[in-house]
Amino acid sequence: MRKISIENNTVQETLIVPLYARKRGCELFPHVLRDPCAAGLISRLDCDFSRLEQHRDSFLWKFGALEGILRSRDILCEMEQYLSGHPDAVIVNMGCGLDRTPLLSKQVVLKLYNIDLDSVIAIRNELLPPRRNEINIASDLTKDAWMERIDASGGIFLFASGVFMYFREEEVRQLIQKLKDSFPHGCLVFDTVGKLGIRVLMKHTLKNMGIPGVDGVFYSDCPLRDFGKGKNGSLSVRNFLTGYVNLEEESIPFLLRKAAALSDWLFRMRICRMEW
């Protein structure tokens, strides 16, 4: 079976770490999340994973693996809650990469749209061919064209997982407004980190993508203040790592639980749900 090459220092390269983290997280904590495709996807990529494998059992990598699968659990929780009240809604994975979170749900997803750049969708089409009622769209998220292809008459749940921190602040605000204009009623879920989180957690990744500094990159120390509750909708905010899953009940080791609580507090890691 042909392996897919990944170009260094490109958007394609941002697929690697989240995918590896999800694979490792499912191995370490299968009771938190099961993604049977993650390991298979890794094996199909022509990429040197030796550096990641060297550190796979380190505390930091175990924590990163936990973070990766908790993000999917958070999204699933919000998606299933929305579908419970809007069973005919479509799901939109914005900046999908090789993520398949909606397909892990026990609830029926009537239609799923995966949106990403041409180079990413080309890889996804080969590794994860669209299933029935699943559509991959190659598009820049900030453009209107992909929005025009979606029928949201039964409701729409959009999510951006680990995506907005690659955008500028004004781009995020403009995109959110476009979504509200395009879809009269819907729900958008996205994750945020604070300024310190951007500086500590994202600096290396942004540099590899040719973004020399973090000034102007989207972050939010207080989403409720920055986006607020407006007359055109509402916003709710929960902790990313500790707001959805009871880590003690899931038998997550003590030090990892403490690191999760500290990261939520120190780096302002949040999941935001905007409904209008």
Side-chain angles (χ1 to χ4, degrees), residues 115-155:
I115 320 295
D116 216 316
L117 298 174
D118 292 14
S119 60
V120 175
I121 290 297
I123 294 175
R124 186 180 181 98
N125 281 337
E126 186 153 358
L127 294 179
L128 292 170
R131 300 185 177 190
R132 186 173 64 88
N133 296 334
E134 182 180 7
I135 299 172
N136 294 342
I137 300 177
S139 176
D140 184 327
L141 282 179
T142 63
K143 306 302 182 184
D144 297 346
W146 67 267
M147 303 178 198
E148 297 169 359
R149 295 179 57 179
I150 295 176
D151 177 7
S153 56

Side-chain angles (χ1 to χ4, degrees), residues 34-269:
R34 292 183 182 274
D35 185 349
C37 283
L41 289 173
I42 290 286
S43 69
R44 293 285 313 280
L45 294 176
D46 183 11
C47 185
D48 183 8
F49 289 97
S50 60
R51 180 179 60 85
L52 300 180
E53 285 291 328
Q54 288 174 0
H55 304 287
R56 69 195 300 267
D57 293 319
S58 69
F59 178 82
L60 286 178
W61 252 109
K62 287 181 179 179
F63 179 70
L66 177 63
E67 177 187 338
I69 59 175
L70 285 176
R71 178 187 276 116
S72 289
R73 273 285 296 265
D74 297 350
I75 296 297
L76 281 171
C77 177
E78 294 288 6
M79 185 188 83
E80 290 170 352
Q81 181 179 340
Y82 184 77
L83 286 177
S84 66
H86 305 81
D88 297 327
V90 298
I91 309 299
V92 181
N93 189 345
M94 302 167 58
C96 60
L98 294 175
D99 176 77
R100 56 190 301 275
T101 295
L103 299 178
L104 305 179
S105 175
K106 295 178 181 178
Q107 287 188 251
V108 175
V109 175
L110 293 181
K111 185 161 286 188
L112 168 63
Y113 295 89
N114 301 303
I115 320 295
D116 216 316
L117 298 174
D118 292 14
S119 60
V120 175
I121 290 297
I123 294 175
R124 186 180 181 98
N125 281 337
E126 186 153 358
L127 294 179
L128 292 170
R131 300 185 177 190
R132 186 173 64 88
N133 296 334
E134 182 180 7
I135 299 172
N136 294 342
I137 300 177
S139 176
D140 184 327
L141 282 179
T142 63
K143 306 302 182 184
D144 297 346
W146 67 267
M147 303 178 198
E148 297 169 359
R149 295 179 57 179
I150 295 176
D151 177 7
S153 56
I156 184 169
F157 177 88
L158 309 107
F159 72 95
S161 178
V163 173
F164 283 175
M165 54 279 296
Y166 294 107
F167 290 5
R168 299 292 176 178
E169 179 180 356
E170 188 57 31
E171 289 178 316
V172 173
R173 294 187 180 277
Q174 289 175 356
L175 174 56
I176 290 174
Q177 189 56 53
K178 285 183 180 180
L179 294 176
K180 290 183 175 181
D181 293 341
S182 299
F183 309 114
H185 304 286
C187 178
L188 169 67
V189 172
F190 56 96
D191 54 325
T192 63
V193 297
K195 187 173 185 179
L196 181 61
I198 288 289
R199 292 190 179 279
V200 174
L201 303 176
M202 295 293 297
K203 185 176 181 179
H204 179 70
T205 302
L206 293 171
K207 183 179 180 180
N208 283 347
M209 293 181 64
I211 303 175
V214 299
D215 293 337
V217 174
F218 173 72
Y219 67 88
S220 178
D221 285 321
C222 181
L224 284 175
R225 179 198 63 208
D226 294 339
F227 293 96
K229 294 185 177 181
K231 60 183 179 180
N232 295 323
S234 64
L235 176 71
S236 60
V237 178
R238 296 169 71 172
N239 286 341
F240 178 156
L241 301 173
T242 59
Y244 292 81
V245 178
N246 187 316
L247 300 182
E248 185 173 6
E249 289 184 359
E250 296 285 1
S251 302
I252 302 302
F254 175 79
L255 289 180
L256 287 176
R257 299 201 308 267
K258 291 302 180 183
L262 178 62
S263 295
D264 274 346
W265 173 76
L266 186 62
F267 299 131
R268 304 292 191 266
M269 300 176 72

